[in-house]
Amino acid sequence: MFVARRLVLAHFAVALAGFLLAIVLGEWQMIVRSPLHAWVANPEHYYRSVTAHGTVMAYVLPTLVAMGFGYAISELALKQSLVGLRAAWIGFWLVVAGTVIAAGTVASGKASVFYTFYPPLIANALYYVGVVVVVVGSWVWVALMTINLRAWRRRNPGATVPLAMYGNVTGAYLWAWTSVGAASEVLVLILPAALGLRETIDAGLARVLFSWTLHAIVYFWLMPAYIAFYTIVPRAIGGRLYSDTMGRVAFALFLVFSMPIGIHHLFADPQVGAGFKFVHAAMTGLVAVPTLLTVFTITASVEIAARLRGG
């Protein structure tokens, strides 16, 4: 029985509502920057729009999609009812509440700092509180994915974890580690400054902490799509996955290679040493490996389906 159906649909509904808002803001930004429209009378309105657009697209939309998709996978792949349904709803409402708090602050014109919120730009403290609440709500999902996998293992000792859940938990762990960077930046550096508890801020350290999140978050965005490519596409086209093992290796490599490479966004920053930058440059190149494995596996799976149809 799919007991988490309403929970999953609630995540997708809020995610799509935010996505539609972000699309409208993005189109407006494009128009006012084009020859088709005069520049806005108040430039702050433009940056307010960019902040709202970036916050929704970077944090709210992918987080809600990954959470809803993850809850569905937990039940459908493991063939068991979701453990911790009440906690999952709490996590969902935390994300919604954090989104409302952050969005309200941006809409009021008190947080036009873009989604990267690099110092010395400092928004109203409520914006950062909202972002932190969203992250905390997502951590509930991370914990529940671990709990549900362990419950399945107890019921199925020695059995191989379904590939969809394997990728799902990998994505959850990736997000748990990835989000620590931006969360640390906000809680340790920016929020105290926004509350007036400190007069100075280490902008260089803030950029390093945010870069911790800045690149690896991209793979968190991609995980639901990769899971769909590996587990849904081969069945949908009437074939089979070329290699289950290759899929698991790709997910594991994403977890290993994607997290420590954010410093490549700071190659022009003087406070990061050249040796450290070199290591991150090399690790950045290695991320191509799981990508190439995925491209090969999915392409081979499509060919298998074509051959089964007589191609």
Side-chain angles (χ1 to χ4, degrees):
M1 181 179 178
F2 192 14
V3 300
R5 181 184 300 273
R6 289 181 57 198
L7 176 70
V8 171
L9 292 177
H11 280 77
F12 288 164
V14 176
L16 290 176
F19 184 47
L20 290 175
L21 172 63
I23 288 175
V24 172
L25 293 175
E27 290 296 328
W28 178 79
Q29 293 158 26
M30 181 184 68
I31 291 173
V32 299
R33 293 183 62 179
S34 74
L36 303 176
H37 194 283
W39 180 240
V40 289
N42 184 354
E44 195 277 331
H45 291 166
Y46 175 80
Y47 297 110
R48 188 185 306 185
S49 170
V50 173
T51 300
H53 173 88
T55 302
V56 170
M57 295 296 283
Y59 301 120
V60 179
L61 169 66
T63 300
L64 284 170
V65 168
M67 290 172 67
F69 193 56
Y71 289 133
I73 289 173
S74 182
E75 287 207 344
L76 298 175
L78 299 183
K79 295 180 174 58
Q80 65 179 24
S81 297
L82 182 69
V83 179
L85 183 61
R86 182 174 299 180
W89 276 109
I90 292 174
F92 167 74
W93 287 115
L94 282 174
V95 173
V96 172
T99 301
V100 171
I101 294 171
T105 312
V106 173
S108 67
K110 298 178 180 179
S112 300
V113 294
F114 309 140
Y115 87 98
T116 52
F117 38 80
Y118 280 150
L121 293 175
I122 299 294
N124 183 277
L126 282 177
Y127 174 72
Y128 303 115
V129 170
V131 172
V132 169
V133 171
V134 169
V135 173
V136 171
S138 70
W139 285 346
V140 174
W141 166 71
V142 173
L144 287 176
M145 292 304 94
T146 302
I147 291 170
N148 278 270
L149 179 59
R150 288 182 176 178
W152 180 85
R153 283 187 176 279
R154 285 196 296 269
R155 295 190 182 96
N156 301 272
T160 302
V161 178
L163 180 59
M165 191 62 181
Y166 184 94
N168 186 37
V169 175
T170 302
Y173 290 165
L174 175 61
W175 172 244
W177 172 252
T178 298
S179 58
V180 169
S184 299
E185 178 198 10
V186 170
L187 293 174
V188 177
L189 298 175
I190 299 182
L191 192 55
L195 292 171
L197 301 178
R198 58 188 304 173
E199 296 181 355
T200 61
I201 190 168
D202 190 331
L205 177 59
R207 287 195 298 272
V208 170
L209 289 175
F210 190 80
S211 72
W212 177 340
T213 296
L214 183 58
H215 189 81
I217 196 175
V218 175
Y219 298 102
F220 170 61
W221 298 341
L222 284 174
M223 277 298 181
Y226 273 65
I227 294 171
F229 276 131
Y230 275 108
T231 62
I232 297 177
V233 170
R235 295 174 60 185
I237 62 179
R240 62 173 177 80
L241 185 65
Y242 172 75
S243 172
D244 180 272
T245 300
M246 198 172 290
R248 295 173 192 273
V249 170
F251 283 127
L253 291 180
F254 272 126
L255 184 62
V256 173
F257 290 151
S258 67
M259 292 187 293
I261 62 176
I263 296 299
H264 71 220
H265 289 274
L266 302 177
F267 280 163
D269 277 38
Q271 81 277 355
V272 180
F276 207 55
K277 290 175 180 177
F278 175 81
V279 171
H280 280 247
M283 294 293 289
T284 299
L286 289 174
V287 176
V289 175
T291 301
L292 291 173
L293 288 177
T294 299
V295 171
F296 179 86
T297 304
I298 301 307
T299 303
S301 301
V302 172
E303 181 177 346
I304 288 172
R307 287 178 179 272
L308 290 173
R309 294 182 176 185

